[in-house]
Amino acid sequence: MKRQSLRGKLSEQPDLHVLTAAAMGAAMEAAMEDAPAPLLIRPAAEQDIVGMMTLLAQTGRPRPTPDQVPAVAAIYREWLGQASALARVAERQDQVVGVLLGALRPRANWLTPELWIADMAIADGEAGEVGHDLLAEALAVAARWGCFRVACEAAGLTGVTLGLLSDLGFAENGQAVSLLLAPIPSLGTRGVRSADGAHDGVPITYRESSV
């Protein structure tokens, strides 16, 4: 019986380099399958209006009835057309999964404006990446606009935690209160019905955070 040479035995062994490359390739493919689709933060456009309405309704904003959508869409278009307004959406796989609306406002004794984040909402099931990236974009815009401060009405920010705000440098800045002076009208070009019927002159308290 012939002895098999050492070289022959080695040639029968699997190539470790090939095995390692194949394993790495399989692992990378699995990771890509598990990873979420890329997130895009961009200026809001007219085609995003219905998606923004839907997300903001999750924060407790009135949910327009189908016949009210055109009138409410006109309000959004007016907002989007203002030079002092900030409107950003987060998009994943052609779906709006986050929205942030804000505006410049003057404050007494300051020579530069404040950026006020009025509304923000994130789709159910989305990770903190959406809120983080929307807020980071708002901070970058505020810096470009020369704002002295960014104020955020934190109570209604669906999917945005105070911990996330703190990580970005926001700090609670006292307490602001507001009073609705009249019920939201159910008719008219600018009115929408209240989804829960609880907006008839009830005092509202919210926390404001700023950075």
Side-chain angles (χ1 to χ4, degrees):
M1 183 176 180
K2 294 183 178 180
R3 291 184 178 180
Q4 189 175 15
S5 67
L6 178 61
R7 179 176 296 179
K9 289 182 179 180
L10 290 176
S11 66
E12 293 177 358
Q13 299 299 316
D15 190 328
L16 295 180
H17 294 289
V18 173
L19 288 178
T20 302
M24 289 179 61
M28 290 177 64
E29 288 181 6
M32 291 177 64
E33 290 177 358
D34 294 337
L39 183 69
L40 173 66
I41 306 296
R42 59 171 176 79
E46 186 167 350
Q47 66 265 23
D48 303 315
I49 288 176
V50 172
M52 291 191 290
M53 283 185 200
T54 302
L55 287 178
L56 286 169
Q58 297 176 8
T59 70
R61 298 291 187 272
R63 185 180 298 276
T65 61
D67 60 316
Q68 293 167 340
V69 167
V72 178
I75 299 173
Y76 275 87
R77 282 192 292 271
E78 181 180 335
W79 183 286
L80 295 177
Q82 294 177 4
S84 61
L86 175 67
R88 294 290 187 271
V89 294
E91 179 182 275
R92 198 190 300 277
Q93 293 183 318
D94 299 323
Q95 296 292 322
V96 173
V97 296
V99 56
L100 182 148
L101 299 175
L104 294 177
R105 63 182 183 184
R107 299 306 296 259
N109 287 21
W110 287 92
L111 296 177
T112 54
E114 170 186 81
L115 176 61
W116 168 53
I117 299 176
D119 292 292
M120 190 170 173
I122 297 172
D124 293 339
E126 281 293 332
E129 173 193 16
V130 177
H132 176 277
D133 288 5
L134 282 170
L135 287 166
E137 169 70 4
L139 294 178
V141 171
R144 292 198 299 269
W145 286 353
C147 297
F148 79 92
R149 185 173 74 167
V150 178
C152 190
E153 291 182 11
L157 306 186
T158 300
V160 179
T161 65
L162 291 175
L164 172 59
L165 292 170
S166 178
D167 290 343
L168 288 169
F170 285 83
E172 212 166 325
N173 187 25
Q175 191 176 71
V177 296
S178 65
L179 173 65
L180 192 64
L181 296 177
I184 295 176
S186 60
L187 300 174
T189 58
R190 298 182 67 85
V192 295
R193 288 186 177 88
S194 168
D196 55 12
H199 297 284
D200 298 340
V202 178
I204 300 171
T205 302
Y206 64 88
R207 287 185 292 183
E208 184 177 272
S209 296
S210 63
V211 65

